[in-house]
Amino acid sequence: MEATTLIESFRVDGKVAVVTGAGSGIGRASALALAGAGAAVVCADIDGASATAAAQEIAAAGGVAEGVTLDVSNRGEVDALAQRVAAERGGIHVWCNIAGIMVEGPFLDAPEEDLDRIISVNLKGVFFGCQAAGRIMVTQPEGGSIINASSAAADAPSPNIVSYAICKAGVVQMTKSLAVEIGKKKVRVNAVAPGFVLTGMTGRYFVRPDGTVDEEMQEAVIAPMRKFTPLRSIGEPEDIAAAFLYLASDASRFMTGQVLRPNGGVAMV
Ligand code: NAP
């Protein structure tokens, strides 16, 4: 590949991308990154207002986007969105399964309802997204790219998040198994396993109900994360969006079944 062509291959002009969890944090940053690099982006989130806000920000910057309400744990909703987007926009080239929730607590007391809830979003939600996108992508001559959010929690165990960790480990195995199954149809399936990133999910430890930040609590949460991370820093959503953009683009055309780990070095697998 020529050098200029190589640089251009990191762009995603002309691609249609669906991003779940696009209303907040890593999903939002990924939607903005994809749109900035040329994709038409469908921003989907259970919080439709935040998805619409992300789409409006993209449009204000000159990009193409729409915001939709989507519960990834509802298979019918996921299928319907995929069908509609493919019909209206002429296909789906990139599907990012980023929506997720956290459930914490001691394993020995974990209620079954909590387990069902996290599996329905973090595992079944990714399964439904892969299935809906995969069914469309295998019919396209150009195939497509599916990218799933895993977590460093699948690589480096921590206490009190067993159900979260098993979902994220399941996402890795789903990614690899599906990559083998549909690779011959030019559909690539990869995962991104971020380290600690400041987002709505992690900010809830120190953001007060009125939206202000308890800075002392914030430092108490972040300081140990920094200490045990080789790069001595925590991530920003854009650090993770860069991995999603790379895996969405043709620059990663020879990668499938892989896990990218933007995690500051906290887990090396
Ligand atoms: P976030 O800021 O909370 O964003 C997640 C988004 O997903 C939220 O807008 C959330 O809406 C939405 N969502 C929740 N349930 C949904 C559902 N059933 N259907 C559709 N959307 C739903 O979290 P984030 O930190 O950016 O996390 C994004 C992904 O990265 C997650 O899969 C997470 O597990 C993973 N991850 C995060 C970190 C980290 O340190 N932040 C590290 C490793 C992996 P509500 O806010 O209304 O619930």
Side-chain angles (χ1 to χ4, degrees):
M1 219 188 266
E2 296 291 325
T4 48
T5 316
L6 179 59
I7 292 295
E8 283 160 13
S9 75
F10 283 82
R11 291 195 55 87
V12 285
D13 299 287
K15 293 187 192 289
V16 174
V18 176
V19 179
T20 75
S24 175
I26 293 166
R28 185 177 167 284
S30 299
L32 266 63
L34 286 163
V41 181
V42 177
C43 301
D45 201 288
I46 199 161
D47 176 357
S50 67
T52 300
Q56 285 170 342
E57 187 172 338
I58 289 170
V64 177
E66 66 173 298
V68 296
T69 305
L70 175 75
D71 178 355
V72 296
S73 69
N74 183 320
R75 184 182 218 153
E77 280 186 27
V78 176
D79 285 343
L81 176 67
Q83 293 295 330
R84 188 205 27 102
V85 171
E88 287 180 7
R89 296 189 180 268
I92 296 177
H93 309 102
V94 177
W95 186 291
C96 302
N97 289 304
I98 305 183
I101 59 171
M102 170 63 83
V103 169
E104 274 181 286
F107 176 77
L108 299 181
D109 302 327
E112 186 174 353
E113 309 83 70
D114 281 2
L115 180 63
D116 288 342
R117 192 161 59 90
I118 197 164
I119 286 176
S120 74
V121 178
N122 289 13
L123 204 50
K124 289 176 75 176
V126 177
F127 188 103
F128 297 152
C130 286
Q131 199 173 43
R135 283 178 181 147
I136 287 160
M137 290 175 179
V138 296
T139 69
Q140 302 176 159
E142 68 274 43
S145 173
I146 299 172
I147 312 152
N148 300 323
S150 180
S151 169
D155 299 324
S158 319
N160 298 320
I161 55 166
V162 171
S163 58
Y164 180 80
I166 60 177
C167 287
K168 294 302 184 180
V171 165
V172 169
Q173 195 54 37
M174 195 187 321
T175 299
K176 293 178 179 176
S177 301
L178 184 56
V180 171
E181 192 169 326
I182 59 179
K184 59 183 174 293
K185 299 287 188 183
K186 293 194 188 167
V187 182
R188 301 186 294 111
V189 192
N190 292 288
V192 176
F196 188 89
V197 181
L198 262 188
T199 64
M201 181 178 282
T202 48
R204 67 203 166 95
Y205 299 113
F206 41 81
V207 177
R208 302 185 187 97
D210 66 2
T212 59
V213 174
D214 180 334
E215 287 181 10
E216 205 174 314
M217 182 63 87
Q218 182 178 25
E219 195 47 32
V221 170
I222 291 174
M225 301 287 175
R226 282 207 198 94
K227 188 173 171 197
F228 293 111
T229 302
L231 286 179
R232 298 288 186 274
S233 63
I234 59 163
E236 295 184 19
E238 290 70 22
D239 296 321
I240 317 305
F244 276 91
L245 174 57
Y246 169 62
L247 290 171
S249 74
D250 293 343
S252 64
R253 68 187 185 183
F254 197 45
M255 286 191 70
T256 197
Q258 306 301 312
V259 183
L260 285 190
R261 295 183 167 82
N263 64 14
V266 79
M268 300 180 187
V269 178

